[in-house]
Amino acid sequence: MCIRDRYNTKHSADLNEIKQQYDQSLQEIKKIYERERVANSAKLEKANNELKILNDKYNNWQELQGAYTAKIKQLQEQLNTAQHNPIAVSYTHLRAHETSLHLVCRLLLEKKKKKKK
C-alpha cells in the first residue's frame, strides 16, 4: 500500500466519522426544530383565538355603545319635546299624585282661605 493510499484511507475514515456526527447533529436539530415549531404553533393558535375573542368583545361593545347613544338621543328628544309641549292635566289627576305632606299643606291653605272670607 502506498503512503498516499494510507493517508486517503485514514482521511476518508475521519471524514466519514465527521459526516456521521454531522448527520446525527442535523437529525437532533431537526427534531428540536419540529418540537419547537409544534409548540409555537400551539401558542400562536391560542394567541389567535384570544385575539378573536377580544375582537368579538370589542365589536359587541361598539354595538352596545351605538345602541346606548341612540337611546340617549331618543330620550333627550322626548325630554325636549315634553319641556316645550307641556300636557294639560286635570285637577283630579293632580290630586291623585298628591302626597300626605302636600295634602296637609293644601288643607291648611284651604282653611286659611276660609278664615279670610
Side-chain angles (χ1 to χ4, degrees):
M1 178 185 260
C2 173
I3 292 177
R4 195 177 337 140
D5 291 337
R6 269 191 303 188
Y7 176 75
N8 285 340
T9 306
K10 183 175 189 234
H11 188 63
S12 292
D14 289 344
L15 285 176
N16 283 336
E17 185 180 331
I18 290 171
K19 186 178 182 312
Q20 285 177 349
Q21 289 175 350
Y22 171 79
D23 288 341
Q24 287 175 349
S25 296
L26 186 61
Q27 290 299 323
E28 288 177 25
I29 289 171
K30 285 180 179 179
K31 287 177 185 176
I32 292 170
Y33 171 78
E34 186 63 24
R35 194 171 50 235
E36 289 297 317
R37 187 187 65 77
V38 169
N40 287 336
S41 175
K43 289 177 185 176
L44 183 61
E45 185 177 344
K46 183 179 177 184
N48 282 334
N49 288 339
E50 290 175 2
L51 184 60
K52 286 177 187 177
I53 291 169
L54 289 174
N55 194 26
D56 290 344
K57 286 180 180 181
Y58 177 73
N59 289 336
N60 289 340
W61 177 79
Q62 282 184 320
E63 290 173 11
L64 287 174
Q65 186 181 22
Y68 287 141
T69 302
K71 186 64 175 176
I72 287 171
K73 285 181 182 178
Q74 179 188 10
L75 292 173
Q76 285 174 338
E77 288 173 6
Q78 289 176 355
L79 180 62
N80 289 337
T81 303
Q83 287 175 345
H84 295 296
N85 301 324
I87 300 171
V89 293
S90 69
Y91 181 71
T92 308
H93 179 84
L94 289 175
R95 294 277 308 272
H97 292 282
E98 202 169 47
T99 64
S100 58
L101 181 62
H102 292 129
L103 180 61
V104 170
C105 289
R106 185 176 55 79
L107 292 174
L108 288 172
L109 286 173
E110 286 178 4
K111 187 176 179 183
K112 192 174 183 181
K113 282 183 187 179
K114 286 182 184 177
K115 283 185 180 179
K116 284 185 180 180
K117 289 183 185 180

